[in-house]
């Protein structure tokens, strides 16, 4: 009777929920837009989409799942996961996905996000024997040719290769136990067949799941690690401050395969997860050559290079300049009320790192070796989560991160955290919660909230207060700052929604005219955004967004800018989807630039910064030839009204227009 009542109730509430495919793209866009503003290393976000795409093809069986498995879905809060597991414990086995409506506190919007990635199966059924995989090829280029590709009668081109960007990825899975994959990538300007390699970057992995009773998985090749809260070892992508940071506890995934085209943040060797009862041991070993800038003596290096570009002779001279060896282990204990991580890692390079002589580099790491030890904890009460990590680097350099999340009801989430990172803290293979991508000497207090006073209305926001006890790359004196965000989300009806956001950041930077005198100026940047989405009918949908930025500093300088765009998307049938955007922008300078997501092909995230004055048109097409072949195409046109030269140096284009194209083909078998 309980099953029948739940089914009838949910079918009434969700009568058209399954009529369309719902992908959590907008959830990711908000997070990635905020992350890219602080980017220093070339980060590829495709791996997030790849993980979700894998779960789309291999959905989680709710009748045989775990907390760790559900934590892969980044849009689920800790409360969501606890409530789902408690409902399953009480009513197992589930008979239909419609029962998710009966889970306490689980919102309809969250269920829409969840549905593509979960299934209902009998937990006792054996795994099916399967052999499947796919090969993806993406090619992109511009119509205009930058200066770096041009030759003259007396000089050769600066770039050694062609202007196309090429990506080839493949993966194969056998019986959901053996996984393998490879990635080949050539950036624009890089040469084909350099040193007998087809592309500049190659990556591959082989993973064996559950080879024995006590081994969860073993990976040979390229892999990534994520332990604790990111302070000791964390090479996976992680988010700090976004409009969804009421959930700030990091979810460590241990050791996982690596399949991204990011050339600077992965390990290469062998790793495994060994499990016994509630304990998990995760040893790993990696060795590979990495890019670095040599000093004049050629015996030492001044910095590690993370751009991944090898287009010119100068960039090629930095390629694989030093060998890196990383070895470590993590012991994890997981109880339903608390988690503990205790780990150690040793990182070595074969050439000493000797940064340039400058006051900002006094506390910067120099030498060949870094040793790290970390202890992380997560404690779960009914409504409170306590979590944190303490890390010791080279035996005495202590860094700390501690946080708490309080959720008295599913409609209220309050979080707070404190961080204090040593002046000598080195974030090599780490990714802690921070304001800066290089968080040494950073101390900060962060608070955030999520409130849903009624069914259709949500408030989210955060406030971050931070200071630096030593010099940074852009501030040649100790400094401080603050950052806050407020957002209102309103679900108007089943077909339309809107949100309004305001974000302000205050900090100190070098005075451009007196940077050598170590004088700082204060600056403040405020960003406003209003967004409206409307489902016109079964096939058509639209989105309108207006952005306005205002910048000022203590020298009385002011700048402003706006961006407005209109999107239309149409699903003609099960085979074809078309999307179109028209955007207008006008900003005074680079300080008032605006970041906004640009529609792209699957697995690709494009979030350019709009500056100067002009307009942009984009056209995207997805076409399913059959059950095996899918084709994506993107065409973009940017026209500037106030300049006839785009970019500078080797990237300079002597035109006021930029035209680009991209085609992607995926074959599944």
């Amino acid at each position: 009777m309980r099953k029948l009542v739940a089914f009838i109730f949910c079918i009434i509430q969700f009568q058209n929920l399954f009529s369309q495919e719902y992908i959590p793209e907008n959830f990711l866009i908000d997070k990635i837009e905020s992350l890219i503003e602080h980017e220093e290393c070339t980060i590829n976000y495709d791996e997030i989409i790849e993980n979700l795409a894998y779960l789309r093809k291999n959905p989680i069986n709710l009748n045989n799942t775990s907390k760790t498995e559900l934590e892969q879905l980044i849009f689920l809060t800790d409360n969501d996961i606890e409530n789902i597991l408690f409902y399953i414990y009480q009513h197992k086995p589930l008979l239909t996905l419609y029962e998710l409506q009966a889970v306490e506190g689980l919102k309809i919007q969250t269920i829409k996000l969840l549905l593509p990635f979960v299934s209902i199966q009998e937990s006792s059924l054996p795994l099916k024997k399967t052999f499947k995989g796919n090969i993806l090829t993406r090619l992109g280029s511009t119509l205009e040719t930058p200066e770096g590709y041009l030759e003259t009668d007396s000089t050769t081109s600066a770039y050694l290769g062609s202007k196309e960007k090429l990506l080839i990825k493949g993966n194969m899975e056998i019986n959901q136990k053996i996984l393998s994959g490879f990635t080949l990538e050539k950036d624009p300007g890089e040469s084909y067949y350099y040193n007998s390699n087809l592309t500049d970057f190659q990556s591959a992995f082989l993973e064996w799941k559950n080879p024995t009773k006590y081994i969860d998985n073993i990976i040979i090749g390229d892999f990534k690690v994520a332990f604790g809260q990111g302070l000791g070892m964390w090479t996976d992508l992680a988010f700090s401050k976004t409009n969804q940071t009421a959930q700030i506890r990091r979810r460590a995934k241990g050791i996982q395969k690596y399949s991204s085209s990011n050339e600077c943040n992965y390990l290469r060797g062998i790793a495994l997860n060994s499990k016994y009862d509630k304990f998990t041991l995760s040893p790993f070993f990696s060795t590979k050559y990495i890019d670095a800038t040599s000093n004049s003596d050629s015996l030492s290096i001044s910095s590690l290079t993370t751009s991944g570009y090898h287009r010119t002779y100068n960039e090629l001279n930095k390629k694989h300049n030093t060998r890196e060896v990383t070895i470590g282990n993590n012991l994890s204990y997981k109880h339903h009320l608390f988690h503990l991580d205790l780990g150690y890692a040793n990182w070595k390079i074969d050439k000493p790192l000797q940064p340039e002589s400058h006051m900002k580099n006094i506390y910067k790491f120099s030498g060949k070796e870094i040793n790290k030890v970390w202890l992380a904890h997560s404690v779960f009460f009914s409504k409170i989560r306590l979590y944190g990590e303490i890390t010791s680097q080279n035996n005495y350099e202590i860094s700390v991160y501690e946080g708490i999340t309080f959720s008295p009801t599913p409609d209220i989430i309050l979080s707070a955290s404190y961080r204090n990172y040593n002046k000598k803290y080195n974030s090599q293979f780490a990714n802690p919660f921070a304001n800066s991508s290089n968080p040494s000497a950073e101390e900060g207090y962060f608070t955030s909230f999520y409130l849903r006073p009624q069914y259709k209305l949500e408030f989210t926001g955060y406030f971050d207060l931070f200071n630096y006890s030593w010099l940074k790359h852009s501030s040649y004196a100790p400094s401080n700052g603050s950052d806050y965000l407020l957002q209102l989300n309103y679900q108007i009806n089943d077909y339309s929604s809107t949100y309004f956001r305001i974000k302000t950041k205050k900090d100190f930077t070098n005075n451009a005219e007196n940077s050598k005198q170590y004088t700082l100026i204060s600056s403040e940047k405020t960003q406003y955004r209003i967004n409206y989405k409307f489902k016109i009918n079964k096939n058509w949908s639209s989105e309108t967004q207006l952005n306005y930025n205002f910048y000022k500093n203590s020298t009385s300088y002011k700048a402003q800018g706006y961006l407005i765009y209109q999107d239309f998307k149409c699903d003609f049938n099960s085979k074809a989807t078309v999307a179109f955007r028209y955007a207008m922008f006008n900003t005074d300078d680079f300080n008032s630039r605006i970041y906004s997501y640009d529609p792209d092909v699957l697995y690709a995230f494009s979030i350019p910064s709009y500056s100067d004055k002009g307009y942009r048109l984009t056209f995207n097409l997805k076409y399913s030839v059959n059950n095996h072949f899918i084709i994506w195409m993107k065409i973009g046109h940017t026209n500037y009204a106030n300049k006839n030269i785009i970019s500078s140096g080797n990237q300079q284009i002597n035109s006021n227009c930029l035209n680009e194209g991209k085609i992607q083909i995926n074959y599944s078998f």
Side-chain angles (χ1 to χ4, degrees):
M1 177 60 70
R2 188 268 306 175
K3 298 289 185 181
L4 180 60
V5 172
F7 179 79
I8 293 174
F9 174 75
C10 296
I11 201 72
I12 293 172
Q13 296 291 321
F14 282 34
Q15 55 185 333
N16 60 6
L17 186 61
F18 288 83
S19 62
Q20 58 180 321
E21 181 177 331
Y22 197 95
I23 301 298
E25 185 178 79
N26 296 311
F27 183 90
L28 299 173
I29 290 170
D30 287 334
K31 286 180 172 289
I32 292 172
E33 278 183 346
S34 62
L35 179 66
I36 202 168
E37 295 185 44
H38 306 289
E39 178 181 335
E40 289 186 3
C41 173
T42 302
I43 301 174
N44 290 277
Y45 313 101
D46 54 354
E47 208 159 3
I48 302 176
I49 305 299
E50 283 187 31
N51 291 338
L52 292 176
Y54 177 81
L55 291 174
R56 186 78 172 88
K57 295 179 181 179
N58 303 273
I60 295 170
N61 178 14
L62 291 179
N63 281 327
N64 187 28
T65 189
S66 64
K67 184 175 183 177
T68 301
E69 196 171 37
L70 290 175
E71 284 184 344
Q72 297 178 73
L73 301 171
I74 61 175
F75 48 81
L76 291 180
T77 67
D78 287 341
N79 271 354
D80 290 336
I81 294 173
E82 293 295 334
N83 291 338
I84 290 172
L85 292 174
F86 184 67
Y87 182 86
I88 295 172
Y89 172 77
Q90 284 186 315
H91 304 294
K92 189 176 180 180
L94 305 186
L95 299 182
T96 170
L97 289 174
Y98 291 116
E99 290 190 60
L100 289 171
Q101 170 66 7
V103 175
E104 180 185 359
L106 199 61
K107 298 175 293 185
I108 292 179
Q109 294 92 334
T110 303
I111 297 174
K112 287 181 179 180
L113 291 169
L114 181 61
L115 286 175
F117 310 107
V118 294
S119 65
I120 300 295
Q121 303 172 28
E122 292 183 29
S123 58
S124 59
L125 289 177
L127 292 176
K128 295 180 180 179
K129 291 185 177 182
T130 58
F131 175 76
K132 54 186 177 181
N134 75 281
I135 296 177
L136 180 144
T137 303
R138 183 192 305 158
L139 183 66
S141 186
T142 60
L143 182 62
E144 293 76 19
T145 302
E147 289 285 313
Y149 299 96
L150 301 179
E151 297 182 357
T152 66
D153 294 337
S154 58
T155 61
T156 59
S157 62
Y159 291 150
L160 303 177
S162 59
K163 61 182 180 180
E164 297 85 19
K165 180 178 178 66
L166 174 67
L167 176 69
I168 302 174
K169 305 184 75 167
N171 64 72
M172 180 183 67
E173 182 182 50
I174 302 174
N175 299 335
Q176 298 182 28
K177 288 182 69 69
I178 305 294
L179 286 82
S180 63
F182 69 89
T183 300
L184 305 174
E185 188 214 33
K186 183 195 92 71
D187 289 313
E190 294 177 342
S191 176
Y192 289 104
Y193 297 107
Y194 180 78
N195 281 348
S196 302
N197 294 317
L198 173 63
T199 58
D200 177 75
F201 176 69
Q202 309 90 35
S203 174
F205 71 88
L206 176 65
E207 180 178 14
W208 188 3
K209 294 185 176 181
N210 302 308
T212 70
K213 179 181 178 181
Y214 298 111
I215 297 180
D216 279 353
N217 67 323
I218 182 169
I219 300 173
I220 299 174
D222 294 346
F223 61 93
K224 56 186 179 180
V225 298
F227 303 119
Q229 293 298 304
L231 202 52
M233 283 292 294
W234 191 292
T235 63
D236 202 0
L237 186 62
F239 302 100
S240 291
K241 295 185 287 186
T242 77
N243 66 307
Q244 295 142 351
T245 46
Q247 182 70 43
I248 59 175
R249 183 182 70 88
R250 297 280 175 85
R251 295 169 178 174
K253 300 175 184 177
I255 292 170
Q256 291 186 306
K257 61 181 177 61
Y258 182 83
S259 59
S260 176
S261 54
N262 178 5
E263 300 183 31
C264 68
N265 206 29
Y266 66 97
L267 298 164
R268 175 170 291 176
I270 185 169
L272 63 88
N273 287 309
S274 177
K275 189 173 183 179
Y276 178 77
D277 196 20
K278 294 180 174 62
F279 291 92
T280 301
L281 194 65
S282 303
F284 56 91
F285 170 80
S286 168
T287 177
K288 61 183 173 57
Y289 285 94
I290 58 175
D291 295 359
T293 302
S294 294
N295 286 317
S296 56
D297 59 8
S298 298
L299 300 176
S300 62
I301 55 178
S302 61
S303 64
L304 302 179
T305 306
T306 57
S307 71
Y309 288 127
H310 307 109
R311 302 163 298 183
T312 65
Y313 285 115
N314 183 48
E315 291 174 347
L316 281 173
N317 287 335
K318 301 177 183 179
K319 185 175 182 179
H320 295 174
N321 242 353
T322 185
R323 185 182 180 185
E324 167 192 84
V325 177
T326 308
I327 186 170
N329 203 345
N330 185 83
L331 178 63
S332 174
Y333 178 81
K334 290 190 176 183
H335 186 273
H336 71 281
L337 292 178
F338 63 92
H339 296 173
L340 291 175
D341 276 339
L342 175 63
Y344 165 79
N346 173 268
W347 176 81
K348 288 182 181 179
I349 49 178
D350 61 1
K351 291 182 180 179
L353 182 61
Q354 296 179 356
E356 64 172 326
S357 179
H358 192 285
M359 281 189 67
K360 67 179 181 181
N361 294 328
I362 288 178
Y363 294 103
K364 202 169 185 178
F365 169 75
S366 62
K368 288 186 174 183
E369 183 175 1
I370 295 176
N371 290 285
K372 282 187 179 181
V373 177
W374 61 88
L375 176 64
H377 65 88
S378 294
V379 182
F380 306 94
F381 300 104
S382 59
K383 301 180 185 300
I384 297 176
R385 308 285 191 272
L386 299 173
Y387 42 88
E389 182 174 354
I390 180 170
T391 296
S392 170
Q393 178 177 295
N394 291 339
N395 299 325
Y396 59 89
E397 298 153 12
I398 306 296
S399 297
V400 177
Y401 174 80
E402 290 293 333
I404 181 173
T405 296
F406 175 57
S407 182
T409 74
D411 296 327
I412 301 175
I413 303 176
L414 306 173
S415 294
S417 67
Y418 169 74
R419 60 190 186 272
N420 191 337
Y421 305 144
N422 193 281
K423 292 178 183 178
K424 294 186 177 182
Y425 174 72
N426 186 287
S427 58
Q428 183 73 15
F429 288 143
N431 192 359
F433 187 99
N435 174 68
S436 170
S437 58
N438 180 21
S440 60
E442 179 175 318
E443 182 181 17
Y445 301 87
F446 179 86
T447 60
S448 62
F449 69 89
Y450 165 85
L451 302 174
R452 188 170 69 150
Q454 58 170 289
Y455 171 68
K456 294 184 177 182
L457 185 64
E458 295 178 338
F459 293 95
T460 64
Y462 66 75
F463 177 76
D464 188 33
L465 188 65
F466 53 88
N467 69 80
Y468 299 100
S469 58
W470 193 244
L471 285 61
K472 305 294 288 183
H473 175 72
S474 59
S475 54
Y476 290 170
S479 60
N480 57 65
S482 63
D483 190 4
Y484 78 81
L485 177 146
L486 295 172
Q487 180 165 319
L488 180 152
N489 304 317
Y490 184 62
Q491 187 72 34
I492 301 170
N493 51 45
D494 291 340
Y495 306 100
S496 59
S497 63
T498 185
Y499 71 80
F500 172 76
R501 179 189 303 169
I502 178 173
K503 181 181 185 295
T504 296
K505 185 170 186 177
K506 301 178 182 179
D507 58 9
F508 288 83
T509 57
N510 291 328
N511 187 334
E513 298 179 356
N514 301 291
S515 60
K516 292 183 180 181
Q517 298 178 20
Y518 302 96
T519 59
L520 302 183
I521 59 173
S522 63
S523 63
E524 178 179 330
K525 185 174 183 179
T526 303
Q527 304 166 283
Y528 301 91
R529 171 180 291 182
I530 185 167
N531 181 282
Y532 175 72
K533 295 180 182 178
F534 180 63
K535 181 74 175 176
I536 301 171
N537 55 37
K538 181 180 178 181
N539 302 106
W540 284 88
S541 61
S542 72
E543 180 177 354
T544 305
Q545 187 177 111
L546 172 64
N547 295 268
Y548 174 76
N549 283 7
F550 180 75
Y551 172 87
K552 64 180 180 180
N553 64 33
S554 55
T555 65
S556 299
Y557 177 80
K558 296 180 180 180
Q560 60 184 339
Y562 71 82
L563 164 70
I564 182 171
Y565 70 69
Q566 177 63 55
D567 283 0
F568 288 102
K569 183 177 180 180
C570 180
D571 296 316
F572 285 106
N573 49 49
S574 59
K575 284 184 171 292
T577 301
V578 173
F580 173 80
R581 169 176 290 185
Y582 176 71
M584 296 186 300
F585 56 93
N586 188 353
T587 68
D588 291 338
D589 60 12
F590 189 69
N591 289 316
S592 56
R593 68 193 182 278
I594 298 172
Y595 288 95
S596 185
Y597 170 72
D598 197 40
D600 215 319
V601 301
L602 184 66
Y603 304 136
F605 260 87
S606 176
I607 303 182
S609 62
Y610 292 84
S611 60
D612 294 306
K613 181 180 181 180
Y615 68 85
R616 177 168 172 79
L617 299 170
T618 58
F619 172 81
N620 282 267
L621 169 68
K622 173 190 174 185
Y623 182 73
S624 300
V625 179
N626 52 42
N627 292 333
H628 302 286
F629 275 102
I630 303 178
I631 300 174
W632 292 265
M633 183 178 70
K634 175 183 178 179
I635 298 174
H637 169 78
T638 306
N639 186 290
Y640 292 93
N642 61 341
K643 63 181 182 181
N644 294 313
I645 295 177
I646 301 173
S647 195
S648 60
N650 289 331
Q651 290 296 106
Q652 179 175 311
I653 295 175
N654 297 315
S655 172
N656 72 325
C657 295
L658 177 63
N659 297 279
E660 66 223 64
K662 190 179 295 183
I663 186 169
Q664 177 173 288
I665 300 174
N666 188 78
Y667 173 69
S668 300
F669 55 88

